[in-house]
Amino acid sequence: MLARDPSPPPPAEGTVAEPAQGNESYIALVWRRLKRSWTGMAGLCLVVLLLVMAVFADFLAPSDPKATDVAFAPPQLPVLHDKNGNFVARPRIYALADSTDLDPVTFQPIVGPDYDHPRLLGFFVEGAPYKLFGLIPANRHFFGSMDGQPVHFLGTDKFGRDVLSRAIHGSRVSLMIALTVVFIITVIGTTVGMVSGYFGGKFDVWMQRFVELVLAFPQLPLYLALTTLIPVTAPTNVFLAFVIVVMSALGWAQMSREVRGKTLALARIDYVRAAMAVGATDRRIIMQHIFPNVMSHVIVAVTLAIPTVVLLESFLGFLGFAVKPPLISWGLMLQDTATYSVIGTYPWILSPVGFVLITVFAFNALGDGLRDAVDPY
């Protein structure tokens, strides 16, 4: 009797053989698991869009964020109809203008849409000049008025500046602060946590007492106290750098505590003990055996820490302790919402809150998806 061939039959002609699952890399496996999570993919798409918006803010903003116009002008929403209500193919807006009718109470001209002079909208239109990436002169904008006049899709603030353009430009500072602070927190917290958990002993005891001291500080009063140390006349870059340093100095301890817990468990695994037995250096064990295994936790912690820093920057900016003009951030824009009367009369100045909520949702959704994907087994 002939022995059966244990190898699988060859694929039929015209078909492509699928790769064996055992040869799939870890990154490919994580990506395959992440694609199954619709919240994780939604968060990833939103994060990419936010980063693109921050990089190409000059091109995407319909107006100059520093140009002034009518104060507290209402949003100009695109419409697809003419003054008679008939459908038109090209979107347009109707700017506000004084009519010939008078208000019967105040005897002031009634302000309303100017249906006789529609302003057509289009893509890649000419507008306010700018320098792309700070180097390339350009005047093309992604969407706006075809006559080159400013359009206020989300209205204007108390100085007549376009809210949408300022929110788009504000994403640069808000995301830059968040990414920089989280990067510093991750580097310091991961390094201290791995070293403390690996060596243990008295070094670990004293290091954890210092970490507990940092965690014991009431962060909000300390933020306000430290930021007031910078003079009002200090350059904007100095103030911004000081805020980043303060946030980083108070935020690394929690990351360090989490990484230390993972390192304590990994230091007792057989392959780490085997590396110690063959004489591997401490640096090699930490970088080659422990660090790759804590990276999955660090990546998830980073995606969850970014929205926390964005919310903190928005809160401090609202109080006036994060960013100073002429820089623009979402928190600084929310200073206009300090009074209830302004919010009730001009609700569109709350638009930066929408950008903050989208950012928080995007990174939280991405972190939730990565939490399941990085541990596929």
Side-chain angles (χ1 to χ4, degrees):
M1 180 180 292
L2 298 177
R4 296 182 59 186
D5 186 5
S7 60
E13 185 177 356
T15 62
V16 179
E18 296 183 358
Q21 295 297 329
N23 296 331
E24 191 174 20
S25 65
Y26 176 72
I27 296 178
L29 187 59
V30 170
W31 172 244
R32 182 162 59 86
R33 288 289 298 267
L34 180 62
K35 289 192 295 184
R36 296 178 181 175
S37 173
W38 70 269
T39 56
M41 291 303 298
L44 178 61
C45 294
L46 288 175
V47 168
V48 172
L49 291 177
L50 287 170
L51 295 178
V52 171
M53 180 180 67
V55 173
F56 298 97
D58 296 305
F59 171 68
L60 296 176
S63 305
D64 184 357
K66 299 179 182 179
T68 58
D69 203 346
V70 180
F72 289 125
Q76 299 174 341
L77 302 179
V79 296
L80 292 174
H81 62 80
D82 57 14
K83 63 180 180 179
N84 298 322
N86 299 322
F87 175 78
V88 292
R90 176 166 292 182
R92 60 192 61 195
I93 63 169
Y94 296 101
L96 297 179
D98 295 336
S99 64
T100 56
D101 299 329
L102 299 180
D103 188 283
V105 178
T106 62
F107 297 100
Q108 296 293 326
I110 298 177
V111 178
D114 186 6
Y115 291 108
D116 295 327
H117 301 87
R119 296 171 57 187
L120 301 181
L121 303 177
F123 292 96
F124 304 103
V125 297
E126 294 185 1
Y130 60 90
K131 288 187 177 181
L132 189 63
F133 308 120
L135 300 173
I136 307 174
N139 63 350
R140 291 285 176 178
H141 296 264
F142 178 67
F143 188 71
S145 175
M146 299 190 66
D147 58 4
Q149 298 298 318
V151 182
H152 310 301
F153 294 109
L154 293 180
T156 60
D157 61 6
K158 61 182 179 181
F159 296 113
R161 299 170 298 190
D162 184 58
V163 173
L164 177 59
S165 299
R166 289 179 61 80
I168 293 176
H169 280 266
S171 64
R172 286 181 168 177
V173 175
S174 296
L175 292 178
M176 184 272 293
I177 292 177
L179 295 177
T180 304
V181 170
V182 171
F183 174 77
I184 297 175
I185 288 174
T186 303
V187 172
I188 298 178
T190 303
T191 303
V192 173
M194 287 192 304
V195 173
S196 178
Y198 175 76
F199 287 104
K202 292 185 178 180
F203 176 79
D204 181 44
V205 172
W206 286 104
M207 182 58 66
Q208 293 312 303
R209 300 295 79 77
F210 178 71
V211 170
E212 292 172 357
L213 179 63
V214 176
L215 292 174
F217 277 111
Q219 294 193 2
L220 181 57
L222 192 59
Y223 282 130
L224 302 182
L226 292 177
T227 50
T228 54
L229 296 178
I230 296 294
V232 180
T233 58
T236 304
N237 295 334
V238 174
F239 194 91
L240 185 61
F242 184 77
V243 171
I244 292 175
V245 171
V246 171
M247 289 184 180
S248 303
L250 297 178
W252 64 270
Q254 184 62 38
M255 175 75 75
S256 172
R257 179 63 63 86
E258 297 173 1
V259 173
R260 172 184 175 269
K262 300 285 291 185
T263 304
L264 288 175
L266 292 171
R268 295 174 173 82
I269 296 180
D270 292 339
Y271 62 81
V272 175
R273 293 182 177 274
M276 296 179 182
V278 299
T281 62
D282 295 332
R283 179 180 178 182
R284 178 177 178 82
I285 294 174
I286 292 175
M287 298 305 298
Q288 298 293 330
H289 298 286
I290 296 179
F291 179 69
N293 287 280
V294 302
M295 274 303 296
S296 59
H297 177 82
V298 170
I299 292 174
V300 175
V302 165
T303 57
L304 297 178
I306 291 177
T308 303
V309 179
V310 171
L311 288 174
L312 178 60
E313 185 277 328
S314 300
F315 177 71
L316 294 178
F318 173 75
L319 298 178
F321 293 104
V323 175
K324 299 293 184 182
L327 293 180
I328 307 171
S329 73
W330 294 331
L332 185 63
M333 293 179 63
L334 291 176
Q335 287 185 357
D336 295 337
T337 64
T339 58
Y340 290 106
S341 59
V342 174
I343 298 175
T345 309
Y346 314 110
W348 54 85
I349 62 174
L350 287 171
S351 300
V353 175
F355 287 85
V356 175
L357 292 178
I358 292 174
T359 303
V360 172
F361 168 78
F363 282 99
N364 279 332
L366 178 59
D368 186 65
L370 284 175
R371 182 182 301 168
D372 299 329
V374 295
D375 190 14
Y377 300 106

